[in-house]
Amino acid sequence: MKPQVAFFDFACCEGCQLQIANLEEDIVGLVNVVDVVEFREVLTGTAEKYDVSFIEGSITRPEDEERLKDIRKRSKLLVAYGSCATSGGVNKLKNLNPSLENVQKTVYGKDWNMPHLRTAATKAVDEVVKVDAYIPGCPVNRKEVVEVVKSLVLGHVPALPEYPVCVECKFRENVCLFQKGQVCLGLVTRAGCNAICPSNNSPCEGCRGVMPNPNKNAMHEVLKENNLTVKQIFDMFTMFSADPEVKG
Amino acid sequence: MSDKSMHIHVHHVTRVEGHGNIDVVVDNDVIKKIEWQVPEAPRFFEAMVVGRDYMDLAPITSRICGICSIGHTFASLKATEAAMGITLSEQDTRLREILLHGETLQSHVLHAGYLAVPDYFRVNSVVPLVGTHKEAVLLIIKLHRLANELCDIIGGRTTHPIRTTVGGWTMLPTEKELVTLKKRYEEAVEDLKAVAGVVLSVAGKIPNFTRETEYISLTSPSEYAFYDGMIKSSDVKAPIPVSNYRTVVNEYVNPQSTAKWTKFNRESYAASALARYNNNYAQLSPLSKTVASMFGLGAAACHNPYMNTVAQVVESVYAVERTIANIDWILDKGLKYVKPDIKVKAGKGASAVEVPRGILFHEYEYDKNGKCLMANCVIPTNQNHGNIQKDFEKLVPEFKHVGKEELQFMLEMLVRAYDPCISCSTH
Ligand code: SF4
Ligand code: SF4
Ligand code: SF4
């Protein structure tokens, strides 16, 4: 029997789900190897148990924690899908504000305290339940998604690249943005996106999270040349993961 | 329960972006409750961006919505540019319009083809149609792919564009890429006509329901407005400057929704492809008008909200033709890269862009170092929630005789016709 796969979304932009539709003709191939039993955005229907659940988005309310725990109970494997799920993504910018009340008042003004508007600090999926595999990226890289699904179907836990975006960037023969006077987080960010931002002449913002052992990184020289410390560059990791931590 | 009593409770409507519920209670033929509820978790974007550098605003607010990330990016960049008095060359503006219409086509095809049309065939998703209507599905995939490839080539990525930046672009496509795109777009016109034909063949399934409302969109003297213009309401004669958008949207909090509601001259208004169609029909291209006429649409305003899907098909044709014209203009002048020239200064600025689901506003205030002090974003779907509620309130009494199952189907189909972006509306 084909593995039963489901997609669930929590607080996020749903851009990572959209990458499934963006597989275009490849969707047909995907549907041949897995049975998509629940995917609210594209089909009507539900199921009781799942072989693999993909969780998109971050967790911001107690009731969402409960919903996630329930999905976990009914799933053999659970994948954190996209940066919102793997690290909290942009949604964790909320946590940088020392006062949740201020956050709520900024958006809802005098109505901030209405019961249906309550919120909590943003959490990544693995701050609530056990995660078996991670697919980082904001949005996820479609090729990587296909690879991960393939290995899961074959019963392997997929491995993520353990080197920085710089390696992919050099491979694409880009001129380093540091040479153009810009700061780029590709130095310490986990590869896997084929250095898509620097290749479009835009600095890496670190959406895929920190690579393992960034201090052993051969690119360390570039930091020295630019009078930057690893800590300083970590402090720049606020757009996509307010508290950088290696995942996966 | 007798057949004069029913309880319709749809928890998380499917085939829409984000989470919405329908709750209808009829007790012995008396309507007790009709609610369109939005329980989506707020992410608090307007608070997240306070204190951020002006260059971060577009990449962060792009993440309000995966489906219209390009529209959010442009609304954001335009608001920042308005606040700091930054202008773009005509070439760079036209390139933005090309990318914006890549998204118009991508999103409209996704909605009409993958999400709405299964309703007309009474199937649960597009998947069964691969078996029964393979050719049509393949055409839809082909168009969707083409629109996405345009976004890749111009924006650097299909979702959350990379090359878009304050004052212009970080990088341009090559002329060769533009020539190839144009050729493929010319070929796509026939495919679009074929898809319109498929939609037409099942258009008899579109419910016969009308409710006149206020239609709000951009309008421009020079074109069928998407990238720029002034605000037009079907209830007001003179266009309204975008800087006065707060007098139009009048956002307020409603206990049944985490997304704010809006109202202008009536209890609710519509912002959608249909609103644009009703306000700016005269400026559509001849071919898009022909496609509209296939569905019985003309210059007269259409008050059937289900027809929004048809308006999207019409606009898809327009988006393709407008893109071809823009590419011609750019190739004719010769493509030149000019690095954005930015002088950071304090200021406040508002912008509006027509995104697939309707008019989108961003407004920011910056200090002299370009640090964001205030942000406000008003999303098409948050402007539509009140209107969906009002449609429900007219539809339920008119159609409750059709029975629970059929009525529930009509309500879900109505929500889908708005193509709501619910997580975006709450943001
Ligand atoms: S990771 Fe990025 S693209 Fe994916 S859902 Fe979150 S915000 Fe959207
Ligand atoms: S620092 Fe950035 S631009 Fe430079 S090589 Fe690394 S990824 Fe590329
Ligand atoms: S280059 Fe950096 S910001 Fe861009 S996709 Fe890759 S990891 Fe994310």
Side-chain angles (χ1 to χ4, degrees):
Chain A
M1 206 174 76
K2 290 193 275 183
Q4 310 249 305
V5 169
F7 285 82
F8 300 95
D9 45 63
F10 290 83
C12 70
C13 85
E14 303 195 2
C16 287
Q17 279 188 42
L18 186 63
Q19 302 319 308
I20 305 286
N22 288 353
L23 288 169
E24 319 292 358
E25 288 86 345
D26 290 349
I27 306 174
V28 182
L30 200 67
V31 175
N32 283 339
V33 292
V34 299
D35 223 348
V36 181
V37 290
E38 202 167 322
F39 194 165
R40 190 194 45 77
E41 200 173 338
V42 290
L43 63 88
T44 307
T46 54
E48 274 308 308
K49 296 234 179 272
Y50 322 106
D51 292 310
V52 188
S53 290
F54 287 82
I55 308 293
E56 185 196 36
S58 46
I59 313 304
T60 62
R61 299 184 296 203
E63 67 262 41
D64 294 330
E65 289 199 21
E66 293 315 308
R67 188 177 149 232
L68 178 59
K69 284 177 189 159
D70 176 59
I71 294 167
R72 174 72 259 192
K73 270 191 219 135
R74 296 185 286 122
S75 311
K76 277 195 201 141
L77 287 175
L78 187 139
V79 183
Y81 182 63
S83 295
C84 288
T86 61
S87 72
V90 288
N91 307 326
K92 270 210 175 163
L93 287 172
K94 187 178 86 179
N95 300 6
L96 295 178
N97 193 314
S99 159
L100 202 55
E101 191 178 311
N102 272 346
V103 166
Q104 290 168 288
K105 283 181 176 160
T106 303
V107 173
Y108 290 108
K110 64 172 178 30
D111 300 309
W112 71 277
N113 211 8
M114 283 168 81
H116 72 303
L117 303 176
R118 74 197 172 288
T119 187
T122 302
K123 289 181 182 174
V125 170
D126 65 1
E127 292 172 69
V128 181
V129 296
K130 178 173 163 272
V131 169
D132 300 299
Y134 295 85
I135 310 183
C138 181
V140 293
N141 174 310
R142 299 197 280 269
K143 283 209 184 102
E144 195 171 47
V145 174
V146 173
E147 289 312 310
V148 168
V149 172
K150 273 193 207 154
S151 20
L152 288 172
V153 167
L154 295 170
H156 310 306
V157 170
L160 295 172
E162 304 233 318
Y163 45 84
V165 171
C166 286
V167 171
E168 293 171 334
C169 190
K170 297 269 185 271
F171 198 74
R172 292 185 69 169
E173 301 181 349
N174 297 325
V175 176
C176 178
L177 291 167
F178 277 100
Q179 288 180 26
K180 299 186 192 171
Q182 298 187 50
V183 175
C184 174
L185 296 186
L187 290 170
V188 288
T189 300
R190 190 196 281 276
C193 59
N194 202 16
I196 189 168
C197 300
S199 303
N200 284 288
N201 197 25
S202 189
C204 170
E205 300 273 8
C207 82
R208 295 177 52 87
V210 185
M211 61 173 286
N213 303 317
N215 282 311
K216 292 193 196 130
N217 180 355
M219 303 295 154
H220 226 114
E221 287 304 304
V222 185
L223 287 178
K224 263 195 227 144
E225 278 165 29
N226 289 279
N227 286 323
L228 278 167
T229 63
V230 169
K231 170 160 188 340
Q232 275 172 328
I233 204 148
F234 269 27
D235 286 344
M236 294 174 191
F237 264 81
T238 54
M239 194 183 292
F240 290 104
S241 50
D243 50 352
E245 192 192 319
V246 181
K247 295 285 173 78
Chain B
M1 243 188 255
S2 76
D3 56 352
K4 298 223 180 252
S5 297
M6 59 180 140
H7 186 181
I8 296 175
H9 182 66
V10 185
H11 181 69
H12 297 173
V13 175
T14 55
R15 280 186 281 124
V16 297
E17 196 277 0
H19 303 89
N21 302 336
I22 299 171
D23 209 356
V24 172
V25 180
V26 181
D27 190 6
N28 207 7
D29 221 20
V30 179
I31 297 166
K32 292 282 164 72
K33 186 178 188 183
I34 303 176
E35 271 184 21
W36 166 236
Q37 304 159 344
V38 173
E40 185 72 40
R43 287 166 292 160
F44 297 92
F45 272 91
E46 284 113 335
M48 282 185 205
V49 296
V50 172
R52 299 297 301 199
D53 185 73
Y54 74 102
M55 287 290 276
D56 292 350
L57 267 281
I60 295 174
T61 56
S62 171
R63 270 77 187 179
I64 288 177
C65 183
I67 304 183
C68 50
S69 61
I70 292 168
H72 275 284
T73 297
F74 288 144
S76 177
L77 294 174
K78 280 177 58 184
T80 299
E81 288 155 4
M84 298 191 185
I86 298 163
T87 52
L88 264 73
S89 70
E90 180 163 0
Q91 169 199 286
D92 286 359
T93 306
R94 283 189 185 251
L95 275 167
R96 281 190 177 176
E97 214 192 292
I98 290 173
L99 182 55
L100 186 67
H101 277 315
E103 181 170 85
T104 312
L105 182 63
Q106 183 275 128
S107 176
H108 282 357
V109 169
L110 177 80
H111 177 251
Y114 293 168
L115 307 178
V117 160
D119 277 337
Y120 302 171
F121 288 95
R122 288 259 170 169
V123 290
N124 73 344
S125 78
V126 71
V127 178
L129 299 179
V130 178
T132 55
H133 296 76
K134 191 162 183 183
E135 252 171 58
V137 174
L138 288 179
L139 269 184
I140 288 167
I141 294 178
K142 190 175 159 200
L143 283 166
H144 191 252
R145 169 195 281 276
L146 176 61
N148 269 336
E149 285 179 6
L150 179 139
C151 299
D152 267 332
I153 290 166
I154 312 287
R157 182 162 58 197
T158 44
T159 306
H160 303 314
I162 301 167
R163 293 182 177 186
T164 43
T165 192
V166 178
W169 296 89
T170 65
M171 201 170 163
L172 297 185
T174 62
E175 289 196 352
K176 195 165 155 242
E177 284 171 327
L178 289 179
V179 170
T180 313
L181 263 180
K182 186 190 154 194
K183 197 164 155 278
R184 294 181 60 200
Y185 260 59
E186 281 166 350
E187 291 161 9
V189 174
E190 284 310 309
D191 298 341
L192 259 174
K193 281 196 216 157
V195 168
V198 175
V199 176
L200 182 64
S201 71
V202 285
K205 300 276 160 43
I206 297 175
N208 186 5
F209 167 76
T210 57
R211 187 181 72 85
E212 191 188 347
T213 184
E214 183 175 8
Y215 298 94
I216 291 186
S217 71
L218 280 180
T219 196
S220 154
S222 55
E223 47 148 348
Y224 186 87
F226 266 92
Y227 180 74
D228 216 357
M230 290 173 79
I231 305 166
K232 162 130 184 92
S233 154
S234 55
D235 284 354
V236 182
K237 232 179 172 173
I240 300 153
V242 169
S243 53
N244 291 351
Y245 80 101
R246 283 181 193 253
T247 65
V248 174
V249 302
N250 305 298
E251 285 192 304
Y252 64 101
V253 177
N254 180 305
Q256 72 201 58
S257 165
T258 55
K260 292 174 195 166
W261 286 21
T262 58
K263 61 175 169 202
F264 189 23
N265 293 298
R266 308 185 189 206
E267 282 181 303
S268 70
Y269 65 81
S272 57
L274 191 63
R276 292 189 287 259
Y277 180 92
N278 284 346
N279 286 349
N280 298 318
Y281 169 82
Q283 290 158 307
L284 281 169
S285 59
L287 187 59
S288 43
K289 282 182 182 161
T290 308
V291 170
S293 69
M294 286 163 44
F295 291 89
L297 290 179
C302 168
H303 299 144
N304 180 349
Y306 290 95
M307 289 298 275
N308 188 47
T309 308
V310 172
Q312 291 180 328
V313 174
V314 172
E315 286 193 342
S316 300
V317 177
Y318 176 78
V320 167
E321 289 186 292
R322 179 78 187 169
T323 300
I324 294 169
N326 277 327
I327 294 178
D328 275 340
W329 188 96
I330 290 168
L331 290 175
D332 188 48
K333 300 268 190 270
L335 196 61
K336 287 178 270 315
Y337 181 72
V338 181
K339 202 168 171 252
D341 176 31
I342 298 160
K343 288 184 191 56
V344 174
K345 60 179 184 206
K348 197 170 170 176
S351 76
V353 173
E354 283 290 343
V355 294
R357 289 150 195 81
I359 193 166
L360 165 68
F361 301 96
H362 279 219
E363 182 191 23
Y364 309 139
E365 188 175 356
Y366 290 107
D367 73 6
K368 64 178 189 337
N369 301 314
K371 236 173 76 171
C372 179
L373 300 171
M374 179 281 299
N376 191 32
C377 305
V378 185
I379 315 295
T381 299
N382 88 254
Q383 298 167 76
N384 280 325
H385 286 316
N387 211 58
I388 294 174
Q389 173 71 31
K390 292 292 153 199
D391 283 351
F392 275 16
E393 287 171 16
K394 180 162 190 275
L395 189 137
V396 171
E398 262 178 49
F399 287 90
K400 64 180 178 358
H401 63 273
V402 298
K404 178 182 162 166
E405 200 186 319
E406 195 60 27
L407 183 62
Q408 172 172 333
F409 177 74
M410 286 183 78
L411 292 169
E412 288 188 50
M413 191 176 174
L414 179 76
V415 171
R416 274 182 214 118
Y418 277 88
D419 189 10
C421 233
I422 300 173
S423 60
C424 176
S425 73
T426 299
H427 61 283

